[in-house]
Amino acid sequence: DAKTTQPNSMESNEEEPVHLPCNHSTISGTDYIHWYRQLPSQGPEYVIHGLTSNVNNRMASLAIAEDRKSSTLILHRATLRDAAVYYCILKGSGTGNQFYFGTGTSLTVIP
Amino acid sequence: EAGVAQSPRYKIIEKRQSVAFWCNPISGHATLYWYQQILGQGPKLLIQFQNNGVVDDSQLPKDRFSAERLKGVDSTLKIQPAKLEDSAVYLCASSLDTGLSPLHFGNGTRLTVT
């Protein structure tokens, strides 16, 4: 399983954009980049995933570097409900590949 | 759609006792996972099922942990006998398949071993 590196914690002001970085220098050509988040006392929830191109959905945007060795999850306007631990995960598309979670980034949103 | 259901929500047992957790995945989801999350850490995969067959149980401590998924739907995870270090949240997740389908997690069972 390819390894990802994320900052342990980040802070953001409410209603400001948030950029959560993830380094994955050993990513393979078939690994997809997935982001999940875990709110307090809940199980993780899916946020977004991508392979090479930038991706947008209703929750967030995913910006992937051209060499794919890093990516950034962008929350366009942080709310207090976005305070969570954010996990960046690499996963191949095949059956034998698993979702391995690291320790993630704990995001604090300041009112 | 109904989410992944887990029970019980909390469980307190003494060491050397046994405990079982139950999971009902989202209807139609072929793949089911059990994760262990120790306080301050990310979830750690214990076992993955595809329908009622095991795909990966390489990180399951088989001397004390067991899991089954009868008829490819509900699943139970058992610990016997429990140790203090088993105190954690046990999360169940399901997905449509083993490829790129996102995981849907339940809210977990918090186990405290005293």
Side-chain angles (χ1 to χ4, degrees), chain A residues 32 34 36 38 41-46 49 87 91-103, chain B residues 9 33 35 37 40-43 45 48 55-56 58-59 91 98-103 105-107 110:
Chain A
Y32 282 73
H34 295 254
Y36 282 74
Q38 187 171 22
S41 300
Q42 295 186 23
E45 65 173 340
Y46 168 80
H49 77 277
Y87 298 98
K91 182 184 181 300
S93 58
T95 300
N97 297 288
Q98 310 300 347
F99 285 96
Y100 290 107
F101 289 76
T103 53
Chain B
R9 190 78 173 90
Y33 309 77
Y35 283 84
Q37 187 170 26
Q41 299 181 18
L45 179 67
Q48 177 191 349
V55 174
D56 183 353
S58 58
Q59 299 191 85
L91 294 161
T98 59
L100 296 175
S101 299
L103 303 185
F105 283 84
N107 286 327
R110 181 177 296 278

Side-chain angles (χ1 to χ4, degrees), chain A:
Chain A
D1 50 315
K3 188 176 177 62
T4 62
T5 303
Q6 300 178 253
N8 287 332
S9 62
M10 290 184 65
E11 285 186 352
S12 173
N13 293 319
E14 195 177 9
E15 300 187 7
E16 296 286 322
V18 183
H19 290 235
L20 296 163
C22 181
N23 288 320
H24 30 78
S25 58
T26 59
I27 189 171
S28 74
T30 56
D31 284 337
Y32 282 73
I33 302 158
H34 295 254
W35 284 82
Y36 282 74
R37 73 179 186 181
Q38 187 171 22
L39 280 64
S41 300
Q42 295 186 23
E45 65 173 340
Y46 168 80
V47 178
I48 200 166
H49 77 277
L51 182 62
T52 56
S53 303
N54 294 344
V55 185
N56 300 295
N57 66 21
R58 63 175 180 81
M59 289 182 71
S61 295
L62 176 59
I64 302 172
E66 195 168 335
D67 63 7
R68 300 210 325 124
K69 293 185 177 181
S70 66
S71 61
T72 302
L73 179 70
I74 303 167
L75 306 179
H76 295 286
R77 202 164 155 271
T79 69
L80 296 178
R81 289 175 296 177
D82 291 322
V85 177
Y86 287 78
Y87 298 98
C88 170
I89 303 163
L90 300 184
K91 182 184 181 300
S93 58
T95 300
N97 297 288
Q98 310 300 347
F99 285 96
Y100 290 107
F101 289 76
T103 53
T105 297
S106 179
L107 175 67
T108 300
V109 179
I110 302 168

Side-chain angles (χ1 to χ4, degrees), chain B residues 61-100:
Chain B
K62 298 180 186 64
D63 58 334
R64 299 185 300 106
F65 286 64
S66 64
E68 60 181 8
R69 189 182 184 196
L70 299 177
K71 301 180 181 179
V73 181
D74 292 5
S75 178
T76 56
L77 176 70
K78 296 180 182 178
I79 308 175
Q80 182 179 8
K83 293 185 175 181
L84 295 177
E85 58 260 37
D86 297 332
S87 294
V89 175
Y90 291 85
L91 294 161
C92 178
S94 68
S95 65
L96 275 173
D97 54 46
T98 59
L100 296 175

